[in-house]
Amino acid sequence: MDIQPFKHTRLYSLTPRGLGTAQVKSPTSYTVRLAKAHSFRTLTLMKKEIGAVIGKLWLTKEGRHEERKYLNGTGVTASDWVTALQKLTGRMRLEQLSLLRFRNVIDDKELLYPSRRWCPKCYAECLNSGEDVYDQTVWYVKGIRSCITHETLLAGNCPNCKRKQPYLPVYPELSICAHCQKSLAGSFTKKQSIEQYDSENIIAELLLLARQVGQLDRSRFVEKIQALVSLAADGNCSLLARFVGISRGCIENWYRGLTIPKLKSFLQL
C-alpha cells in the first residue's frame, strides 16, 4: 500500500463552503474563517502569514478597506492572494472562490461593490444550525441585489448603526457589525421585481458555468465578438453597437482584442 507522508501547513487546511456551486465562499470570507480558526485578529493573520508570502504589506494596513474588494476579483491582487492561501493551507483550487476565471473576458473595474453585501437570512440560518457564517462571492458582484436562495434583498449597512461593513473586519466574525458589534443577521426584505431577479439569475448561472468549464479564454471571446459582428450586423461594428446599446469604440476594441468589457457590457451582449 502506497502511503503518502503527512504534509504540515502553516494554516489549517479548511474546506471552503459551496465549492462547485454559485454559492461558493469568497476569498475574503475564507480569510476571516482562517483567522477565527487560529484565534487571530484578521489583520494579524494578514500581516504575519499572508502578507509575508505575497509581499504586499499595503493590503494589511488599516484604512485600506475598499482596495480589499479586489481580493475577490479577477486581477493580480486576487491571484496573489489565492496563491498565498493555497501555499499556507495546502488546499488547491482556491481560485474557484474568486472571480479569477473571468480575468480574460471581464474587466475588474466596476465589477465589485466597495463594501460587503450579505444575506441576513443566510446568516441567521448558519447561526441557528451552529455553522460558521460565510459570504458568497456572488453577493459582492455589482448587479446582484438579492439572495438567490431566499429571494430576499442583500444588506449593505448595519441595521443598528447604518454603517457599511469592510470585507475584512478586524475581529473575525462576519455576523457582527465591525463598528457597533450588533448582529447583522435576521432582519431581511423580500426581493424586488421579477425582471431584476431574472438578471441576477443570469449572473449566478454565468459564475457557475465558469467554474464548470475552467479558465475562460480571451482569444475565444474575441472570436465570438467577431462572429457576432459578422452574423448579426453584417460586419458592421457601428450597427451592432446601436443594437445592443454599447459605444462603437468599445465594440471595435473588443473586436480587435485590445480591451475586455466591464460586467454590465458583457451581460448586454
Side-chain angles (χ1 to χ4, degrees), residues 110-125:
E110 301 178 22
L111 177 60
L112 302 167
Y113 288 111
S115 57
R116 278 171 45 215
R117 295 292 189 277
W118 67 93
C119 172
K121 197 167 185 180
C122 282
Y123 276 16
E125 287 184 354

Side-chain angles (χ1 to χ4, degrees), residues 228 239-246 251 254 268-269:
L228 185 62
L239 182 60
L240 180 64
R242 289 196 296 273
F243 180 73
V244 297
I246 299 173
I251 298 290
W254 303 340
Q268 285 179 258
L269 294 173

Side-chain angles (χ1 to χ4, degrees), residues 7 14 35 48 56 73 97 99 113 121 137 160 197 239:
K7 182 180 179 181
L14 302 179
K48 289 188 174 182
K56 293 184 177 179
L97 307 186
L99 300 172
Y113 288 111
K121 197 167 185 180
T137 303
N160 181 62
Y197 189 60
L239 182 60

Side-chain angles (χ1 to χ4, degrees), residues 154-219:
L154 297 176
N157 301 81
C158 170
N160 181 62
C161 70
K162 311 303 180 185
R163 296 180 69 179
K164 299 183 182 301
Q165 302 300 306
Y167 278 100
L168 291 168
V170 173
Y171 295 100
E173 183 52 72
L174 295 174
S175 65
I176 301 298
C177 175
H179 309 288
C180 70
Q181 282 72 58
K182 299 295 185 181
S183 176
L184 301 175
S187 179
F188 62 88
T189 306
K190 287 297 288 181
K191 71 177 183 181
Q192 62 281 44
S193 68
I194 295 297
E195 292 77 10
Q196 175 63 32
Y197 189 60
D198 286 344
S199 70
E200 292 173 346
N201 268 321
I202 292 172
I203 298 175
E205 289 297 326
L206 188 63
L207 296 175
L208 180 58
L209 178 63
R211 292 189 172 92
Q212 292 172 342
V213 303
Q215 185 70 48
L216 301 179
D217 187 76
R218 184 166 181 169
S219 62

